[in-house]
Amino acid sequence: MTERSSDLIGALAAAALTFSFGLGAAAPAVAGLDNATCLSCHDGKKKEKLEIASPDGEKRALAPVAPEKYAKGVHAKMECVACHRDIIDDTAPHKRVDAPKADCQQCHRGLWETAVREKKENERPRLGIVVKNMEAYLKTVHAQPDKDIPDKPKAKCDNCHSSHYFDVPPQGTPERKGVWRLTTVPDMCGEKCHSDALDDYKESIHGVVAVEKRDEKGAVCIDCHTAHSIVGTSSAPFKFVITEQCGTCHKENFGSYADSYHGKVNRLGYGHTATCFDCHGAHGIQKVSDKASKVHPDNKLGTCQQCHNVKKGRKEATAGFVSFAPHANANDFKRYPQMWVSARFMWLLLAGVFLFFWVHSALWFWREYQERNARLARPRVQTEELPNAEGKQVRRFGPLWRLAHLVFALSVMTLVLTGMAVHYAETGWAPVVMKAFGGPAVTAIVHRVSAAIMLGIFFVHLLYMAVHLWRIRKTFRWLGPDSLVPWIQDIKDIFGMFKWFLGKGEKPLFDRWTYWEKFDYWAVFWGMAIIGGSGLMLALPTEVASVLPGWALNIAALVHGEEAFLAAVFLFTVHFFNNHFRAEKLPPPDVVMFTGSQSLDEFRREHPLQYRRLLERGELKNYLVDAPSRPMTLGSKTLGLVLIAIGLTLLVIVTIGFFH
């Protein structure tokens, strides 16, 4: 029994005791219509059976009221005519006044209105719960018209709560937890209306535990369907409720389900993915080891094919596909060793990358900030060194590189937004994002299109680099100053930078590529392999499962989310700091990736070895270009600030998701 149900019962009891001071006072005061008089006929002991004419003209027997049972109910102190206000005499078939027939909702709503009108503050909270539950009932499948009798609901209050006896034991009592909950409730739901469901339930593991073993841990009807908010089982609201209800008992499995794609879409407010009962069944749930269970190894394939069915002449779910573990988690080494190992590796990777680069960034900012405050003289380009350099800048990136960077950045930001909305489905912002895109199906398309764009740019870059290196193969040095391949000098530069951070040495001099630029470059290769590879596996589960075991998809889901988190946080903290938020770069943004060039002063300060090398060879003039126009500069700064704002916003919502 839910907490809300128990509150309702308490409120009903209170309402019954105070009824004579509410609507009960409005009942006709008719001599001889006390309870004893009524029960003299309606106690079922008369030799001749009392009958009443039905709407169709036929007669039906009146249900008897047992006085001893009525005396134990919460309505025992009420007069019969307090509810049956249309009765005005004691002679069958009774003359009636123009008053509604006995109706639970009308009575209790009247009590609530009276309590509000007369400011009975001690009664309002309890009566308010009753009204709230009645309002919930009106929206349920029980309140809908019966198909055989359109003017009658499928179930009324007294179908479950006997109006004459109402002997629901109080919350917390042994009687409530025992026979009433474990036996009376299933029988009440099943024997009156849902007999087939009751038969299946009694054979299920839930029924065996609750009904046969009388174990309070066993689930009964109201634990899954609730008491007053019952809705159609095919509706989305029910699917949301049932997963939460299952989770109250099966907490560990609910947590692992919530981490799956099925669970995340469900948490976002969409009911088209599989829920607990889609896989395990509803009333006939059995243990996984039971051959009658829908998720028994012999039956699991057929269960998966309920949704992943035949398309284009082939079955989506295959034997390998169903070896995917829907409840796998990273904390159970015995059952899921691959997940345990993969999770620890990813956590160590995240911790190592963030620890190193956040400390690196913090020390770097502090050191540059100190130098800036000390107003150390910045080296200036001497005009005698470079004649005719006035108004010129150094070209760093060509138009194709800049375009690729922009499109790549936009695709990555879109991937972060759409992917993290699913990854952190339990947050408040995720459903808003999902709704803005038009739902999970549309969001999935946007996510995959963005992934295709990102991967496309990456592969085009690989092709370009292959062709370029082939053309200059005779002069290119793999470990030379123009190469992005890491080498021993990068290790020396890292140690040199930390010495400079701590004031123990001079700042290292860099050539064309710094070690942090090389890291950014090669991190993309790692990201494409891990994020792109795992994402492709998740997009093509049937094909993957035809050659790999199902647990590979579990690992792919884990790695995809963790690596995406790593990439997003690294980009919007470390990468943004290196390029826009260092003390030497303030105020942001640095627009070199949008204009393609930087000032001679900045070039000489950041890449002194390349500057000196090009100057000595007389090649620096070949890299000089006109400074970007004012509109180009303004547009680049605007674009840069917009992208930074988007990135920082994404960082905020990802952080909210992480700490949720």
Side-chain angles (χ1 to χ4, degrees), residues 424-443:
Y424 294 123
E426 69 280 2
T427 59
W429 59 263
V432 177
V433 172
M434 196 61 59
K435 185 177 181 180
F437 276 99
V442 177
T443 306

Side-chain angles (χ1 to χ4, degrees), residues 225-277:
H225 294 276
T226 73
H228 300 97
S229 302
I230 298 173
V231 295
T233 56
S234 60
S235 65
F238 176 77
K239 294 183 178 182
F240 305 145
V241 170
I242 195 64
T243 53
E244 297 286 349
Q245 296 296 90
C246 294
T248 58
C249 295
H250 307 281
K251 294 181 180 179
E252 183 178 344
N253 283 336
F254 176 73
S256 56
Y257 167 78
D259 285 338
S260 70
Y261 179 76
H262 290 158
K264 291 179 184 298
V265 172
N266 188 271
R267 293 290 289 273
L268 285 167
Y270 299 87
H272 61 267
T273 58
T275 55
C276 308
F277 67 84

